[in-house]
């Protein structure tokens, strides 16, 4: 990403995710990627919310980002 360019889409949530939940975003991405092997998008979002305490927007951003990278 160019200097000064702000992330767009789901990645724009990453700084606040790290700050709010105290883990590097890569840890969340890895968890979601592993779970997406066997579960659909919204089940992974619900799992992140229920088992890990993420808010809906943050959980959805993580899952959407991972899905886009896996299919892109």
């Amino acid at each position: 990403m160019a200097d000064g360019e702000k992330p767009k889409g789901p990645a724009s949530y990453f700084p606040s995710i790290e700050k709010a939940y105290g883990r590097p975003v890569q840890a969340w991405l890895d968890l979601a990627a592993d779970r997406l092997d066997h579960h659909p998008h919204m089940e992974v979002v619900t799992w992140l919310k229920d088992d890990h305490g993420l808010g809906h927007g943050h959980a959805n951003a993580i899952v959407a980002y991972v899905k886009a990278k896996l299919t892109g």
Side-chain angles (χ1 to χ4, degrees):
M1 198 167 286
D3 286 337
E5 186 179 333
K6 293 191 179 208
K8 295 181 173 109
S12 67
Y13 286 90
F14 291 174
S16 61
I17 290 170
E18 288 185 342
K19 186 182 283 187
Y21 307 107
R23 293 173 88 169
V25 75
Q26 189 61 52
W28 297 114
L29 297 173
D30 292 342
L31 283 173
D34 289 345
R35 196 80 173 185
L36 280 167
D37 285 342
H38 305 289
H39 301 278
H41 180 112
M42 286 310 296
E43 282 186 21
V44 179
V45 170
T46 299
W47 173 73
L48 287 170
K49 291 166 53 179
D50 292 348
D51 288 15
H52 296 283
L54 273 70
H56 181 82
H58 287 161
N60 194 56
I62 289 167
V63 176
Y65 183 85
V66 170
K67 282 187 71 172
K69 290 297 180 183
L70 291 174
T71 60

